[in-house]
Amino acid sequence: MNVFEIDGLIKTDIFKQSVLSNANALRDEVFGVKPRSVHVGDFGESWLEYDIQDSGLIADTLASEVIHTWAQSVSNQGLQLRPSIWANTYTPGQHISWHRDKYGAVQILLSICQPPPECGGVFQIRRYGIESDVALYPGDALLFRAVDIEHKITPLNATRSNSDPMRISIVARYFSS
């Protein structure tokens, strides 16, 4: 397992084999529910959000005891067993600006589909005034205190070689118990 860690953020490829071998099933599960369009701020920030059911491949994985224990290790506190889980999809023009989340102890961001870097849709963090790209590939996961770490998704753009890029990520937010 490859692990990258900074204060309050861990990047790992712990889910890589599962995501790569179950890519179609994961997409079917995400797209199997009706999305809601999310619009934030005055600058055209938007994306689609899908509530993930309490059972199925995604929920069973992200609510497993192993993942719960991992999340508790970063939060340094007791967490509710079942996280809130949803998926976000971004298509050309969609993004979210710098923000800190308002709720939750920690969250996992799991990459399901990530376009090439030239298309944008890059996850970035800002710590101590320093902005950094966090390269994500399908199966990579970030475990972080989203209320403490400022983060954003850069605008997704079509390119000549990729006219219809899409970014799909699953979020599991854990709350203190």
Side-chain angles (χ1 to χ4, degrees):
M1 174 173 68
N2 294 319
V3 175
F4 165 80
E5 185 171 355
I6 64 170
D7 181 35
L9 182 142
I10 297 173
K11 177 185 170 192
T12 179
D13 61 0
I14 190 172
F15 297 103
K16 188 161 299 284
Q17 188 59 42
S18 176
V19 167
L20 294 177
S21 62
N22 295 300
N24 290 334
L26 291 167
R27 286 177 194 224
D28 288 349
E29 194 170 331
V30 168
F31 294 127
V33 295
K34 185 176 179 178
R36 66 179 162 273
S37 184
V38 179
H39 299 274
V40 178
D42 299 327
F43 304 106
E45 299 167 79
S46 67
W47 62 93
L48 291 178
E49 192 170 278
Y50 302 76
D51 287 324
I52 299 299
Q53 304 303 311
D54 287 338
S55 63
L57 182 60
I58 295 170
D60 292 347
T61 299
L62 291 172
S64 70
E65 186 175 330
V66 170
I67 301 306
H68 182 263
T69 301
W70 182 48
Q72 283 192 132
S73 73
V74 168
S75 71
N76 294 319
Q77 57 187 303
L79 300 177
Q80 291 178 338
L81 185 57
R82 283 299 230 188
S84 295
I85 304 173
W86 65 93
N88 295 324
T89 62
Y90 296 81
T91 56
Q94 296 182 323
H95 68 287
I96 185 167
S97 296
W98 290 113
H99 69 285
R100 286 186 179 95
D101 293 357
K102 294 180 182 178
Y103 308 104
V106 293
Q107 70 184 32
I108 295 172
L109 175 70
L110 174 59
S111 176
I112 301 299
C113 178
Q114 181 67 37
E118 63 270 12
C119 291
V122 177
F123 183 85
Q124 295 181 325
I125 62 170
R126 184 161 51 196
R127 300 277 289 176
Y128 313 111
I130 300 170
E131 297 177 7
S132 303
D133 290 356
V134 180
L136 294 173
Y137 302 96
D140 287 347
L142 297 177
L143 174 62
F144 67 112
R145 293 187 304 265
V147 296
D148 296 333
I149 296 177
E150 204 171 7
H151 55 284
K152 77 175 191 174
I153 304 295
T154 64
L156 194 59
N157 303 300
T159 64
R160 182 171 287 165
S161 62
N162 192 338
S163 62
D164 196 24
M166 178 175 277
R167 179 184 195 279
I168 304 171
S169 57
I170 297 172
V171 179
R173 182 173 292 160
Y174 291 84
F175 294 87
S176 299
S177 57

